[in-house]
Amino acid sequence: MQSNIEDLLRELAPQVLGALVRRSGQFDASEDAVQEALLAAARQWPNEGMPDNPRSWLLTVASRRLTDQLRSETARRRREETAAALELPVQSEASAHDDTLTLLFLCCHPSLSAPSQLALTLRAVGGLTTAEIARAFLVPEATMAQRISRAKERIRNAGASFAPPPSSERHERLRVVLHVLYLVFNEGYTASSGPELGRADLTTEAIRLSRMLYQLVPEEGEAAGLLALMLLTDARRAARSTAEGWIVPLEEQRRELWNTDQIQEGVALLTHTLGKVPVGPYQLQAAIAAVHDEAPTAQDTDWPQILALYEVLERIAPSAVVTLNRAVAVAMVNGPLAGLALLGTLDGDERMVHNHRLEAVRAHMLERAGELTAARGSYRKAARMTASIPEQRYLAMKAARLS
Amino acid sequence: MKYMIMTFGSAEEGVKAMGRDWMREMVAFMHRLDKDLRESGELVDEQGLADGSQAKTVRFENGIPVATDGPFAESKESLVGYWIVDVENEERAIEIASRIVAFVKAPIEVRRVMDAPPDF
């Protein structure tokens, strides 16, 4: 019951907020009012029962809070205009969906820093409380509250209105939204392989929001691709670390622990999408994840297929990280020396100077090539460079095993 | 991403070297910095530590841990305080540290907190 109510509240949060902003024209104040309405519902519904129409209950309570807030403000003219607008009829189901999308675009406004985009999206679209978001990012609640209120202020100062971006900007703005959801997923991933298990909720939340986005824009291949990538990656959650937090690399994972429902859903999404729309980086990364997930054992992995996918990815979205990943596939298909040769092209690359992965991948290849002393040195160097504790321990252990 | 910004030295030496006016300015500066970091939603924690002369160092001697008076490091190298900030990138952490350095005119260390996700 309790979790049903929470799920429902989180689903309704952006719809109610969208409706309120549409009527009042004030994102900042409406956002606060909706949070208060959500908190009121979370307190009252479990005891007094769910109202017949939860959405209009929330909208009524939030409107009342907003009116109270505006009443205490001095700008009289604005207050009257807003009060009149609040009398408008409740919006239709279709416009509720449009509103949710518009909200996502607004929360991921390009004038905001990434941490602010994440926080605001989780609160305004995800319906999480400030305290929950603060816990997830391991910062004090006052800091998170300030970050959110700053973000809203910045949006207001940027002159952003509650309207979909012009079609000339839509593609780029959607790219930002996808990236923000991807970062939320990544944040959750940090935690679920460490001792702070509570943070895994962010992964679930990222999948929920990506699923929502996909339903809003099913024609966008990258929205489908991102959702598929998350499902296919998160499917391995139970297998990729031990209870003590040791990383279990892909080739050593117990594949019977993988979540087959998520794999099937991810693969189905890709099958439905690939070839019908222009291919993009998320779709390709999801396709690579699918090749891994569909191999019954690590030895059965179709590395030539993965290599081909990385070649396409490097063509459409070239980056040093993609070259690095392609090198892994090259080493699996053509042997570690071929992989090492490709890695050599990244030495001295500005973008790789602070990236421990170049050294970690080199260490693996050197080990496979039988260059154990050099491998040990590379593992140690990579262990010094990483900013992830589980990874540091994993790499240090790899080095220790070669001693 | 989180960074720890650390200052080193000795409070006593600071007073001796810089005098009263400097102390007043320093307190005002730290107050402003604290306010700014709170308002920007970046401050995770900030603490000053008791002077190094009050520290105890616990060493492993003859098979058992033994506590002795005094700091492990020279007082110039002893940690006196830190900020933990949650910022967008390393440049921003360095920007904050630079603001402190421009005031205290002593080196500040900026270290990443190990909060990155492992690779997929």
Side-chain angles (χ1 to χ4, degrees), chain A residues 37-66:
Chain A
L38 292 172
L39 290 170
R43 266 196 313 271
Q44 290 178 30
W45 295 2
N47 301 322
E48 297 164 20
M50 195 114 71
D52 292 335
N53 187 340
R55 189 155 158 270
S56 65
W57 188 99
L58 287 168
L59 193 52
T60 307
V61 172
S63 303
R64 216 175 286 148
R65 297 283 156 100
L66 181 62

Coordinates of all heavy atoms in Angstrom, one line a residue, chain A residues 37-66:
Chain A
A37 N 2.1 19.6 -1.7 CA 0.9 18.7 -2.0 C 1.3 17.3 -1.9 O 0.6 16.4 -1.3 CB 0.3 19.1 -3.3
L38 N 2.5 16.9 -2.5 CA 3.0 15.5 -2.5 C 3.2 15.1 -1.0 O 2.9 14.0 -0.6 CB 4.3 15.4 -3.3 CG 4.2 15.6 -4.8 CD1 5.5 15.6 -5.4 CD2 3.3 14.5 -5.4
L39 N 3.8 16.0 -0.2 CA 4.1 15.6 1.1 C 2.8 15.4 1.9 O 2.7 14.5 2.7 CB 5.0 16.7 1.8 CG 6.4 16.8 1.3 CD1 7.1 18.0 1.9 CD2 7.2 15.5 1.7
A40 N 1.8 16.3 1.7 CA 0.5 16.2 2.3 C -0.1 14.8 2.0 O -0.7 14.1 2.8 CB -0.4 17.4 1.9
A41 N 0.0 14.5 0.7 CA -0.6 13.2 0.3 C 0.1 12.0 0.9 O -0.6 11.1 1.4 CB -0.6 13.1 -1.3
A42 N 1.4 12.1 1.0 CA 2.2 11.0 1.6 C 1.8 10.8 3.0 O 1.9 9.7 3.6 CB 3.7 11.2 1.4
R43 N 1.4 11.9 3.7 CA 1.0 11.8 5.1 C -0.4 11.3 5.3 O -0.7 10.5 6.1 CB 1.1 13.2 5.7 CG 2.4 13.5 6.5 CD 2.3 14.8 7.4 NE 1.6 15.9 6.7 CZ 2.3 16.8 6.1 NH1 3.6 16.8 5.9 NH2 1.6 17.8 5.5
Q44 N -1.3 11.9 4.4 CA -2.7 11.6 4.6 C -3.2 10.3 4.0 O -4.0 9.6 4.6 CB -3.6 12.8 4.1 CG -3.4 14.1 4.9 CD -4.2 15.2 4.3 OE1 -5.2 15.0 3.6 NE2 -3.7 16.4 4.5
W45 N -2.8 10.0 2.8 CA -3.5 8.9 2.1 C -3.3 7.6 2.8 O -4.3 6.8 2.8 CB -2.9 8.8 0.6 CG -3.4 10.0 -0.2 CD1 -4.1 11.1 0.2 CD2 -3.1 10.2 -1.6 NE1 -4.2 12.0 -0.8 CE2 -3.6 11.5 -1.9 CE3 -2.4 9.5 -2.6 CZ2 -3.6 12.0 -3.2 CZ3 -2.3 10.0 -3.8 CH2 -2.9 11.3 -4.2
P46 N -2.1 7.3 3.3 CA -2.0 5.9 4.0 C -3.0 5.8 5.1 O -3.5 4.7 5.4 CB -0.6 5.9 4.5 CG 0.2 6.9 3.7 CD -0.8 8.0 3.4
N47 N -3.3 6.9 5.8 CA -4.3 6.8 7.0 C -5.7 6.9 6.5 O -6.6 6.2 7.0 CB -3.9 7.9 8.0 CG -2.5 7.7 8.5 OD1 -2.0 6.6 8.7 ND2 -1.8 8.8 8.7
E48 N -6.0 8.0 5.7 CA -7.4 8.3 5.4 C -7.8 7.7 4.1 O -9.0 7.9 3.7 CB -7.5 9.8 5.3 CG -7.2 10.5 6.6 CD -6.9 12.0 6.4 OE1 -7.3 12.6 5.4 OE2 -6.3 12.6 7.3
G49 N -7.0 6.9 3.4 CA -7.4 6.3 2.2 C -7.1 7.2 1.0 O -7.0 8.4 1.1
M50 N -7.0 6.6 -0.2 CA -6.7 7.3 -1.4 C -8.0 8.1 -1.9 O -9.1 7.5 -1.9 CB -6.3 6.3 -2.5 CG -5.6 6.9 -3.6 SD -3.9 6.4 -3.7 CE -4.0 4.7 -4.2
P51 N -7.9 9.3 -2.3 CA -9.1 10.0 -2.9 C -9.5 9.3 -4.2 O -8.7 8.6 -4.8 CB -8.6 11.4 -3.1 CG -7.1 11.3 -3.2 CD -6.7 10.1 -2.4
D52 N -10.7 9.6 -4.6 CA -11.3 8.9 -5.9 C -10.4 9.4 -7.1 O -10.2 8.6 -7.9 CB -12.7 9.3 -6.1 CG -13.6 8.7 -5.0 OD1 -13.2 7.7 -4.4 OD2 -14.7 9.3 -4.7
N53 N -10.1 10.6 -7.1 CA -9.3 11.1 -8.2 C -8.0 11.7 -7.7 O -8.0 12.9 -7.4 CB -10.1 12.1 -9.0 CG -9.4 12.5 -10.3 OD1 -8.1 12.4 -10.4 ND2 -10.1 13.1 -11.3
P54 N -7.0 10.9 -7.5 CA -5.7 11.4 -6.9 C -5.1 12.6 -7.6 O -4.6 13.5 -6.9 CB -4.8 10.2 -7.0 CG -5.7 9.0 -7.1 CD -6.9 9.5 -7.9
R55 N -5.2 12.6 -8.9 CA -4.6 13.7 -9.7 C -5.3 15.0 -9.4 O -4.6 16.1 -9.1 CB -4.7 13.4 -11.2 CG -3.9 14.3 -12.0 CD -3.5 13.6 -13.3 NE -3.2 14.6 -14.3 CZ -4.1 15.1 -15.1 NH1 -5.4 14.7 -15.1 NH2 -3.8 16.0 -16.0
S56 N -6.6 15.0 -9.4 CA -7.3 16.3 -9.1 C -7.2 16.7 -7.6 O -7.1 17.9 -7.3 CB -8.7 16.3 -9.6 OG -9.5 15.4 -8.9
W57 N -7.0 15.7 -6.8 CA -6.8 16.0 -5.3 C -5.5 16.8 -5.2 O -5.4 17.9 -4.6 CB -6.7 14.7 -4.5 CG -6.7 14.9 -3.0 CD1 -7.7 14.7 -2.1 CD2 -5.5 15.1 -2.2 NE1 -7.3 14.9 -0.8 CE2 -5.9 15.2 -0.9 CE3 -4.1 15.4 -2.5 CZ2 -5.0 15.4 0.2 CZ3 -3.3 15.6 -1.4 CH2 -3.7 15.6 -0.1
L58 N -4.4 16.3 -5.8 CA -3.1 16.9 -5.8 C -3.1 18.3 -6.4 O -2.6 19.3 -5.8 CB -2.1 16.1 -6.5 CG -1.6 14.8 -5.8 CD1 -0.8 13.9 -6.7 CD2 -0.8 15.1 -4.5
L59 N -3.8 18.4 -7.5 CA -3.9 19.7 -8.2 C -4.6 20.7 -7.4 O -4.2 21.9 -7.3 CB -4.6 19.5 -9.6 CG -4.5 20.6 -10.6 CD1 -3.0 21.1 -10.7 CD2 -5.1 20.2 -11.9
T60 N -5.7 20.3 -6.7 CA -6.5 21.2 -5.9 C -5.6 21.7 -4.7 O -5.5 22.9 -4.4 CB -7.7 20.5 -5.3 OG1 -8.4 19.9 -6.4 CG2 -8.6 21.5 -4.6
V61 N -5.0 20.7 -4.0 CA -4.2 21.1 -2.8 C -3.0 22.0 -3.3 O -2.7 23.0 -2.6 CB -3.6 19.8 -2.1 CG1 -2.6 20.2 -1.0 CG2 -4.8 19.1 -1.5
A62 N -2.3 21.6 -4.4 CA -1.2 22.4 -4.8 C -1.7 23.8 -5.3 O -1.0 24.8 -5.0 CB -0.5 21.7 -6.0
S63 N -2.8 23.9 -5.9 CA -3.3 25.2 -6.3 C -3.6 26.1 -5.1 O -3.3 27.3 -5.1 CB -4.7 25.1 -7.1 OG -4.5 24.3 -8.2
R64 N -4.2 25.5 -4.1 CA -4.5 26.2 -2.9 C -3.2 26.8 -2.2 O -3.1 27.9 -1.9 CB -5.2 25.3 -1.9 CG -6.3 26.0 -1.1 CD -7.0 25.0 -0.2 NE -7.9 24.2 -0.9 CZ -8.2 22.9 -0.6 NH1 -7.6 22.3 0.4 NH2 -9.1 22.2 -1.3
R65 N -2.2 25.9 -2.2 CA -0.9 26.3 -1.6 C -0.3 27.5 -2.4 O 0.2 28.4 -1.9 CB 0.1 25.2 -1.6 CG -0.2 24.0 -0.8 CD 0.0 24.3 0.7 NE -0.8 23.5 1.5 CZ -0.5 22.4 2.2 NH1 0.8 22.0 2.1 NH2 -1.3 21.6 2.8
L66 N -0.4 27.4 -3.7 CA 0.1 28.4 -4.6 C -0.6 29.7 -4.4 O 0.0 30.8 -4.3 CB 0.0 28.0 -6.1 CG 0.6 28.9 -7.1 CD1 2.1 29.1 -6.8 CD2 0.4 28.4 -8.5

